[in-house]
Amino acid sequence: LKIDLELPSSEMSFFQSNLYNEYYDLYFITNEKTIDSDARVWIEFENYTQNLFPSKLEDSLYHISSTFVDTGIVKYNFQVRDERLNLGRSLDTISYNIIIPDLSYLYRSTDKKIEVYVDKNSVEFETPIVISVNNINKKFLRSDFEIISREYEIIANSLRLLKPATLRYLFSEDIANEMLYKYHFVKITDNDIEFINTKIDGESIYASILNPGSYAVVYNSNIPKPLPEDFILSNIYPNPFNPSTTINFGVPTEEYVVVDIYNLRGQHVI
């Protein structure tokens, strides 16, 4: 007697229409064969709910077309039965907004880890933007890094940015600030990644982007500590001192440095 205790689940793929920005196609890929010719999905907006029935295209593939009725967070609750009549449910959530030319706006992913800042006058006309959060199950050609985030897909077929948007990743408090230089944004393309110039700002990292796509954050322990962009002189500790102290400083280029120390009377000490 074989008992099937595994419930069917699915992964959702989102495709925006090239002709009408508010229209889109959804594909649900299940983890096993199913018996329902039509599955069911509840689409929940903040003040509105749709009850739709995706059609079966193949043993593990369902499809439906729909439209956005409002901006904000949109939840997709998909359910289907497998061959043993086990009923499984999968929940996916996206963020849907519209970029307005004469307004600047901060768009966030549903897990609040990614922010996309678009400055005013960055687009010529109103442009829909979707941010989805997905698990990363791909194997990449490169192996000199560790992916520490989920995949953040920015979908905007008609997006033509006139100036770069800012992509920001917010770390939790357990990440030491002095180690943030080892984290980088990457753009995911098929089975490869492209490293993006990444900068540090407090407890976050950020990068400039001009195109939609799939992005993630990676950790590379072999990245050397970068030179500072400006001259940096940290507080002397301990101060006053006897007989020694520590002076931390940084310069933006590799060069020989002469350090002169003066006391409060302006007398040259060292």
Side-chain angles (χ1 to χ4, degrees):
L1 177 64
K2 184 178 180 180
I3 300 177
D4 182 8
L5 298 178
E6 182 180 9
L7 298 178
S9 61
S10 71
E11 291 187 3
M12 185 182 75
S13 294
F14 179 98
F15 294 91
Q16 193 176 22
S17 171
N18 290 320
L19 297 177
Y20 305 101
N21 290 326
E22 69 273 19
Y23 286 81
Y24 62 90
D25 289 290
L26 282 179
Y27 293 89
F28 297 92
I29 305 169
T30 61
N31 62 334
E32 59 178 310
K33 291 183 178 181
T34 58
I35 64 167
D36 292 324
S37 58
D38 292 309
R40 175 174 289 184
V41 60
W42 286 270
I43 305 176
E44 299 179 18
F45 298 88
E46 183 175 354
N47 299 309
Y48 183 79
T49 300
Q50 292 177 320
N51 185 12
L52 303 177
F53 300 89
S55 300
K56 190 174 188 178
L57 300 181
E58 299 177 4
D59 284 339
S60 302
L61 181 63
Y62 289 84
H63 165 262
I64 197 168
S65 297
S66 189
T67 60
F68 289 111
V69 298
D70 198 2
T71 58
I73 301 299
V74 186
K75 298 179 181 180
Y76 298 87
N77 192 339
F78 176 82
Q79 72 173 33
V80 71
R81 296 178 300 169
D82 64 14
E83 293 179 324
R84 299 277 181 173
L85 301 182
N86 295 316
L87 180 65
R89 295 180 174 88
S90 301
L91 179 64
D92 289 279
T93 308
I94 67 167
S95 173
Y96 170 72
N97 286 282
I98 298 177
I99 303 174
I100 300 175
D102 57 350
L103 294 179
S104 58
Y105 199 79
L106 187 66
Y107 306 94
R108 291 184 174 90
S109 61
T110 55
D111 63 357
K112 303 296 191 297
K113 300 292 290 185
I114 281 285
E115 294 180 346
V116 181
Y117 175 76
V118 181
D119 199 3
K120 62 180 179 180
N121 301 320
S122 292
V123 294
E124 293 181 338
F125 47 85
E126 292 187 1
T127 305
I129 180 174
V130 172
I131 303 177
S132 67
V133 185
N134 309 302
N135 294 323
I136 300 178
N137 300 315
K138 303 176 182 178
K139 292 184 178 180
F140 298 98
L141 299 177
R142 297 182 57 168
S143 58
D144 57 340
F145 61 88
E146 175 188 357
I147 297 178
I148 61 95
S149 75
R150 301 176 73 185
E151 178 183 6
Y152 297 90
E153 186 176 9
I154 302 172
I155 306 167
N157 288 346
S158 60
L159 181 62
R160 300 292 183 271
L161 285 174
L162 303 177
K163 48 186 174 181
T166 301
L167 181 66
R168 184 180 300 273
Y169 185 83
L170 306 175
F171 286 93
S172 56
E173 296 180 355
D174 58 348
I175 300 294
N177 288 350
E178 62 268 18
M179 298 292 290
L180 287 182
Y181 66 88
K182 294 182 179 291
Y183 296 86
H184 271 256
F185 272 111
V186 295
K187 187 174 184 179
I188 300 175
T189 56
D190 295 328
N191 292 324
D192 202 1
I193 64 168
E194 173 189 346
F195 277 80
I196 301 174
N197 184 31
T198 304
K199 297 182 179 181
I200 301 171
D201 182 17
E203 296 181 351
S204 66
I205 59 174
Y206 68 96
S208 296
I209 60 172
L210 274 171
N211 300 298
S214 295
Y215 297 90
V217 175
V218 301
Y219 173 80
N220 188 339
S221 60
N222 297 321
I223 294 179
K225 188 171 184 177
L227 293 172
E229 295 184 357
D230 301 300
F231 174 78
I232 298 174
L233 177 62
S234 302
N235 292 331
I236 299 174
Y237 183 82
N239 186 26
F241 60 91
N242 183 17
S244 64
T245 189
T246 300
I247 303 174
N248 291 318
F249 65 92
V251 291
T253 58
E254 293 187 18
E255 55 187 333
Y256 291 103
V257 176
V258 176
V259 178
D260 292 305
I261 300 177
Y262 295 82
N263 61 22
L264 293 176
R265 298 179 178 178
Q267 297 172 323
H268 186 236
V269 179
I270 298 177

